[in-house]
Amino acid sequence: MCGIVGYIGKRKAYPILIKGLHRLEYRGYDSAGVALINEQGQLNIYKAKGKVAELEAFASDKDTTGCIGIAHTRWATHGEPNTVNAHPHYSESERLAIIHNGIIENYAVLKAGLKEQGYTFKSDTDTEVLVQLVEYTQVNRHVDLKTAVQLALQQVIGAYAIAILDKTHPDTLIAARKGSPLVVGIGEDEYFLASDATPIVEYTDQVIYIEDEEVVVLSTNGQGTKDKDVEITTINNVTKTPEIKRLELSLSQLEKGGYPHFMLKEIFEQPRTLTDSMRGRVNVRQDNIALSGFIDNKDRFLNAKRIIITACGTSWHAGLIAMYAIEEFAQIPVEVEYSSEFRYRKPVINKDDVVIAISQSGETADTLAAIQLAKEKGAFIFSICNVVGASIPRVSDSGCYTHVGPEIGVASTKAFTAQVMALTMLALCIGKEKGTISQEQYLSVVRELGQIPAKIERVLGQDKLISDFAKIFSYAQNFIYLGRGYNFPVALEGALKLKEISYIHAEGYPAAEMKHGPIALISQEMPVVVVAPHCGTYEKIVSNIQEIKARKGRVIAVVTEGDTLVSKIADYCIEVPETVECLTPLLTVIPLQLLAYHIAVVKGCDVDQPRNLAKSVTVE
Ligand code: G6P
């Protein structure tokens, strides 16, 4: 993970880099650092353990001048999160400085070789090996820095997005990527570099997405034209033509808009984000859904013998819900796989399989690798992503963007509901085309889709009630979440939200499975959240709640408005409006998001940046 930022131009680099780091802090926040070349040609590096604010405090009385610099916010992989392991790292002579996002898998071999040549290492990181290797290559092969970077990267196994400064060339910034994202922003005689476009958006809307195994040289020596000042080659020195794209991202999307946390803002945005996800796709007046990624590739879906869904974390939960919808409406067998398991377990993948990859960030390393594996076997890859232009949509055959805008809170909320929405639309499209869904059912779901934003608004109206429940239950050490059918994955997602941000242990379970083990945990101290809307297996889940109450468990139930059965036996109830079964997750997950949020706030946890987590997981 980690976030990287770079700047070269006429302005003071430091404020731009620090602001950029704050924007990228969602990617990791164990430590942060900055490297700047000042007017005297000195290369200054400042680092601090903890968040970017610690770095700012540390650097407040230091020389932060210079119009060229790089900066980094870290999520530790190799070496504990401390100042020594924080980036940037110097090379042996302290002429070069590097920042890196990714993992150099063969770093131990490379390090041993460099040690034999007399190189010394200060940190435990794989990154320091890389900068030493670049310097070693440059000195021993008598080549320029770009060539040294190319040659060094040819020896590297693993993933990287790097940026390198050379104090003897204060007019040049070099960067490269493989497997980790990297975007270049093009301003007037100035260039920006970042892991994603969020640090760049307020300066320019002209960007270049760097591709795998490309090296980019940004210079401001005034000799070149705009094009010449951005030179892209592969690590094998093949020249590439920079492709400038227009960024569709606004600054206001990156701010909290009056909410105390991004997570709360994002929960409350869901009526709008789901409207945005449906825009141009769901035509309620004509009772129709049009998904271009499906329309252009109809035959692949209609001929599919099987659909494999692959994802991680919250996106995997959205995939589980999709399994219910696709099997119900399209009658195609569906398997839902954790990307990290799928990619390593020698799965059987056929040419007529469709693989659906789900990823908010579009950068998750395991999901990307799962796609690559499926591609090699000839499967058709359809991705559901949020970040436009990210790696996963770029390597997919087709797909559907969720269009919810940047999700900054590390715990995913609005991206999840939009994924469920997109996958439900896809299931309906396939079912309609195959004739496996009745016209009546199709129409009822399409019409109901249009009602969902207003119904979510009603659920959000219960925020105060849910925050009161949170105060009652913030003492708990453990929680169980139960659900059945479409709402079993919602139980998993509710438990994950609580774990992620409040550090309370929580288990999600299919309600009927409770009697095969977790029922032994039930006691007065154990809050049990039961997702029990009035549909499908409602009567069965009522019995499951009776079983919990008989053992003195305390039940918080999510029920349909006007419920009479569950509300009599549960201790606390949160109501959601009635809807068709396949859309209930879009409503029932909202109280669970709010419950986790408020419990974390009561406990004083860092809601937007929970410990040990990162939003975009670009390591295996
Ligand atoms: C991280 C995030 C989760 C997310 C998961 C998958 O663990 O903290 O919120 O669900 O990665 O991310 P993706 O971007 O692929 O959906």
Side-chain angles (χ1 to χ4, degrees), residues 203-219:
Y203 309 106
T204 177
D205 63 356
Q206 306 286 298
V207 293
I208 300 169
Y209 293 97
I210 305 302
E211 300 289 341
D212 273 353
E213 300 202 335
E214 284 182 355
V215 177
V216 57
V217 181
L218 304 170
S219 50

PDB file of all heavy atoms in Angstrom, residues 203-219:
ATOM      1  N   TYR A 203      -4.549  21.088  -8.770  1.00  0.00           N
ATOM      2  CA  TYR A 203      -3.565  21.812  -9.574  1.00  0.00           C
ATOM      3  C   TYR A 203      -3.787  21.649 -11.081  1.00  0.00           C
ATOM      4  O   TYR A 203      -3.471  22.525 -11.850  1.00  0.00           O
ATOM      5  CB  TYR A 203      -2.143  21.357  -9.220  1.00  0.00           C
ATOM      6  CG  TYR A 203      -1.877  21.390  -7.730  1.00  0.00           C
ATOM      7  CD1 TYR A 203      -1.820  20.221  -6.979  1.00  0.00           C
ATOM      8  CD2 TYR A 203      -1.713  22.612  -7.080  1.00  0.00           C
ATOM      9  CE1 TYR A 203      -1.597  20.259  -5.606  1.00  0.00           C
ATOM     10  CE2 TYR A 203      -1.489  22.659  -5.702  1.00  0.00           C
ATOM     11  CZ  TYR A 203      -1.434  21.478  -4.971  1.00  0.00           C
ATOM     12  OH  TYR A 203      -1.231  21.523  -3.611  1.00  0.00           O
ATOM     13  N   THR A 204      -4.265  20.507 -11.470  1.00  0.00           N
ATOM     14  CA  THR A 204      -4.447  20.260 -12.907  1.00  0.00           C
ATOM     15  C   THR A 204      -5.443  19.126 -13.141  1.00  0.00           C
ATOM     16  O   THR A 204      -5.623  18.274 -12.263  1.00  0.00           O
ATOM     17  CB  THR A 204      -3.093  19.883 -13.578  1.00  0.00           C
ATOM     18  OG1 THR A 204      -3.330  19.585 -14.959  1.00  0.00           O
ATOM     19  CG2 THR A 204      -2.434  18.672 -12.933  1.00  0.00           C
ATOM     20  N   ASP A 205      -6.073  19.141 -14.310  1.00  0.00           N
ATOM     21  CA  ASP A 205      -6.942  18.003 -14.639  1.00  0.00           C
ATOM     22  C   ASP A 205      -6.337  17.173 -15.788  1.00  0.00           C
ATOM     23  O   ASP A 205      -6.978  16.314 -16.355  1.00  0.00           O
ATOM     24  CB  ASP A 205      -8.371  18.454 -14.974  1.00  0.00           C
ATOM     25  CG  ASP A 205      -8.425  19.328 -16.214  1.00  0.00           C
ATOM     26  OD1 ASP A 205      -7.352  19.655 -16.778  1.00  0.00           O
ATOM     27  OD2 ASP A 205      -9.539  19.696 -16.621  1.00  0.00           O
ATOM     28  N   GLN A 206      -5.080  17.468 -16.113  1.00  0.00           N
ATOM     29  CA  GLN A 206      -4.394  16.724 -17.182  1.00  0.00           C
ATOM     30  C   GLN A 206      -3.499  15.659 -16.546  1.00  0.00           C
ATOM     31  O   GLN A 206      -2.555  16.011 -15.823  1.00  0.00           O
ATOM     32  CB  GLN A 206      -3.517  17.658 -18.008  1.00  0.00           C
ATOM     33  CG  GLN A 206      -4.226  18.861 -18.564  1.00  0.00           C
ATOM     34  CD  GLN A 206      -5.114  18.474 -19.729  1.00  0.00           C
ATOM     35  OE1 GLN A 206      -4.635  17.990 -20.747  1.00  0.00           O
ATOM     36  NE2 GLN A 206      -6.412  18.668 -19.572  1.00  0.00           N
ATOM     37  N   VAL A 207      -3.785  14.411 -16.802  1.00  0.00           N
ATOM     38  CA  VAL A 207      -2.989  13.367 -16.147  1.00  0.00           C
ATOM     39  C   VAL A 207      -2.531  12.285 -17.135  1.00  0.00           C
ATOM     40  O   VAL A 207      -3.133  12.100 -18.206  1.00  0.00           O
ATOM     41  CB  VAL A 207      -3.780  12.659 -15.003  1.00  0.00           C
ATOM     42  CG1 VAL A 207      -4.048  13.609 -13.853  1.00  0.00           C
ATOM     43  CG2 VAL A 207      -5.054  12.028 -15.507  1.00  0.00           C
ATOM     44  N   ILE A 208      -1.486  11.601 -16.728  1.00  0.00           N
ATOM     45  CA  ILE A 208      -1.022  10.427 -17.485  1.00  0.00           C
ATOM     46  C   ILE A 208      -0.974   9.266 -16.505  1.00  0.00           C
ATOM     47  O   ILE A 208      -0.345   9.395 -15.435  1.00  0.00           O
ATOM     48  CB  ILE A 208       0.397  10.649 -18.066  1.00  0.00           C
ATOM     49  CG1 ILE A 208       0.418  11.853 -19.005  1.00  0.00           C
ATOM     50  CG2 ILE A 208       0.877   9.398 -18.808  1.00  0.00           C
ATOM     51  CD1 ILE A 208       1.831  12.281 -19.381  1.00  0.00           C
ATOM     52  N   TYR A 209      -1.640   8.174 -16.822  1.00  0.00           N
ATOM     53  CA  TYR A 209      -1.546   6.981 -15.977  1.00  0.00           C
ATOM     54  C   TYR A 209      -0.349   6.167 -16.461  1.00  0.00           C
ATOM     55  O   TYR A 209      -0.311   5.729 -17.616  1.00  0.00           O
ATOM     56  CB  TYR A 209      -2.831   6.137 -16.079  1.00  0.00           C
ATOM     57  CG  TYR A 209      -4.033   6.833 -15.480  1.00  0.00           C
ATOM     58  CD1 TYR A 209      -4.934   7.532 -16.269  1.00  0.00           C
ATOM     59  CD2 TYR A 209      -4.246   6.825 -14.106  1.00  0.00           C
ATOM     60  CE1 TYR A 209      -6.025   8.196 -15.718  1.00  0.00           C
ATOM     61  CE2 TYR A 209      -5.324   7.485 -13.537  1.00  0.00           C
ATOM     62  CZ  TYR A 209      -6.216   8.165 -14.355  1.00  0.00           C
ATOM     63  OH  TYR A 209      -7.275   8.817 -13.790  1.00  0.00           O
ATOM     64  N   ILE A 210       0.628   5.994 -15.594  1.00  0.00           N
ATOM     65  CA  ILE A 210       1.835   5.242 -15.968  1.00  0.00           C
ATOM     66  C   ILE A 210       1.490   3.754 -15.954  1.00  0.00           C
ATOM     67  O   ILE A 210       0.780   3.273 -15.071  1.00  0.00           O
ATOM     68  CB  ILE A 210       2.995   5.550 -14.986  1.00  0.00           C
ATOM     69  CG1 ILE A 210       3.241   7.074 -14.918  1.00  0.00           C
ATOM     70  CG2 ILE A 210       4.263   4.798 -15.372  1.00  0.00           C
ATOM     71  CD1 ILE A 210       3.559   7.737 -16.243  1.00  0.00           C
ATOM     72  N   GLU A 211       1.969   3.041 -16.962  1.00  0.00           N
ATOM     73  CA  GLU A 211       1.662   1.608 -17.099  1.00  0.00           C
ATOM     74  C   GLU A 211       2.772   0.776 -16.456  1.00  0.00           C
ATOM     75  O   GLU A 211       3.867   1.288 -16.186  1.00  0.00           O
ATOM     76  CB  GLU A 211       1.562   1.221 -18.578  1.00  0.00           C
ATOM     77  CG  GLU A 211       0.493   1.967 -19.359  1.00  0.00           C
ATOM     78  CD  GLU A 211      -0.925   1.551 -18.987  1.00  0.00           C
ATOM     79  OE1 GLU A 211      -1.101   0.458 -18.402  1.00  0.00           O
ATOM     80  OE2 GLU A 211      -1.853   2.326 -19.261  1.00  0.00           O
ATOM     81  N   ASP A 212       2.483  -0.516 -16.286  1.00  0.00           N
ATOM     82  CA  ASP A 212       3.473  -1.422 -15.706  1.00  0.00           C
ATOM     83  C   ASP A 212       4.772  -1.413 -16.514  1.00  0.00           C
ATOM     84  O   ASP A 212       4.743  -1.402 -17.749  1.00  0.00           O
ATOM     85  CB  ASP A 212       2.913  -2.849 -15.676  1.00  0.00           C
ATOM     86  CG  ASP A 212       2.105  -3.077 -14.405  1.00  0.00           C
ATOM     87  OD1 ASP A 212       2.107  -2.195 -13.529  1.00  0.00           O
ATOM     88  OD2 ASP A 212       1.467  -4.133 -14.301  1.00  0.00           O
ATOM     89  N   GLU A 213       5.867  -1.457 -15.784  1.00  0.00           N
ATOM     90  CA  GLU A 213       7.214  -1.505 -16.353  1.00  0.00           C
ATOM     91  C   GLU A 213       7.555  -0.270 -17.183  1.00  0.00           C
ATOM     92  O   GLU A 213       8.359  -0.334 -18.101  1.00  0.00           O
ATOM     93  CB  GLU A 213       7.435  -2.798 -17.152  1.00  0.00           C
ATOM     94  CG  GLU A 213       7.256  -4.034 -16.283  1.00  0.00           C
ATOM     95  CD  GLU A 213       7.931  -5.270 -16.814  1.00  0.00           C
ATOM     96  OE1 GLU A 213       8.141  -5.335 -18.031  1.00  0.00           O
ATOM     97  OE2 GLU A 213       8.259  -6.148 -15.997  1.00  0.00           O
ATOM     98  N   GLU A 214       6.918   0.848 -16.863  1.00  0.00           N
ATOM     99  CA  GLU A 214       7.288   2.102 -17.525  1.00  0.00           C
ATOM    100  C   GLU A 214       8.068   2.979 -16.544  1.00  0.00           C
ATOM    101  O   GLU A 214       7.804   2.992 -15.340  1.00  0.00           O
ATOM    102  CB  GLU A 214       6.055   2.866 -17.996  1.00  0.00           C
ATOM    103  CG  GLU A 214       5.439   2.264 -19.251  1.00  0.00           C
ATOM    104  CD  GLU A 214       4.233   3.032 -19.770  1.00  0.00           C
ATOM    105  OE1 GLU A 214       3.775   3.999 -19.141  1.00  0.00           O
ATOM    106  OE2 GLU A 214       3.728   2.628 -20.828  1.00  0.00           O
ATOM    107  N   VAL A 215       9.023   3.724 -17.123  1.00  0.00           N
ATOM    108  CA  VAL A 215       9.826   4.673 -16.346  1.00  0.00           C
ATOM    109  C   VAL A 215       9.511   6.059 -16.901  1.00  0.00           C
ATOM    110  O   VAL A 215       9.534   6.262 -18.112  1.00  0.00           O
ATOM    111  CB  VAL A 215      11.344   4.377 -16.515  1.00  0.00           C
ATOM    112  CG1 VAL A 215      12.184   5.406 -15.768  1.00  0.00           C
ATOM    113  CG2 VAL A 215      11.672   2.957 -16.044  1.00  0.00           C
ATOM    114  N   VAL A 216       9.206   6.999 -16.020  1.00  0.00           N
ATOM    115  CA  VAL A 216       8.893   8.346 -16.503  1.00  0.00           C
ATOM    116  C   VAL A 216       9.928   9.323 -15.951  1.00  0.00           C
ATOM    117  O   VAL A 216      10.283   9.274 -14.783  1.00  0.00           O
ATOM    118  CB  VAL A 216       7.441   8.757 -16.131  1.00  0.00           C
ATOM    119  CG1 VAL A 216       7.162   8.685 -14.641  1.00  0.00           C
ATOM    120  CG2 VAL A 216       7.122  10.158 -16.632  1.00  0.00           C
ATOM    121  N   VAL A 217      10.422  10.173 -16.842  1.00  0.00           N
ATOM    122  CA  VAL A 217      11.380  11.208 -16.446  1.00  0.00           C
ATOM    123  C   VAL A 217      10.678  12.554 -16.605  1.00  0.00           C
ATOM    124  O   VAL A 217      10.234  12.902 -17.696  1.00  0.00           O
ATOM    125  CB  VAL A 217      12.653  11.160 -17.324  1.00  0.00           C
ATOM    126  CG1 VAL A 217      13.638  12.238 -16.882  1.00  0.00           C
ATOM    127  CG2 VAL A 217      13.299   9.780 -17.266  1.00  0.00           C
ATOM    128  N   LEU A 218      10.563  13.296 -15.493  1.00  0.00           N
ATOM    129  CA  LEU A 218       9.930  14.608 -15.519  1.00  0.00           C
ATOM    130  C   LEU A 218      11.017  15.644 -15.339  1.00  0.00           C
ATOM    131  O   LEU A 218      11.788  15.576 -14.373  1.00  0.00           O
ATOM    132  CB  LEU A 218       8.919  14.732 -14.375  1.00  0.00           C
ATOM    133  CG  LEU A 218       7.830  13.655 -14.341  1.00  0.00           C
ATOM    134  CD1 LEU A 218       7.051  13.725 -13.041  1.00  0.00           C
ATOM    135  CD2 LEU A 218       6.902  13.800 -15.530  1.00  0.00           C
ATOM    136  N   SER A 219      11.106  16.604 -16.258  1.00  0.00           N
ATOM    137  CA  SER A 219      12.180  17.586 -16.102  1.00  0.00           C
ATOM    138  C   SER A 219      11.666  18.988 -16.331  1.00  0.00           C
ATOM    139  O   SER A 219      10.679  19.212 -17.046  1.00  0.00           O
ATOM    140  CB  SER A 219      13.331  17.261 -17.044  1.00  0.00           C
ATOM    141  OG  SER A 219      12.833  17.073 -18.333  1.00  0.00           O
TER     142      SER A 219
END
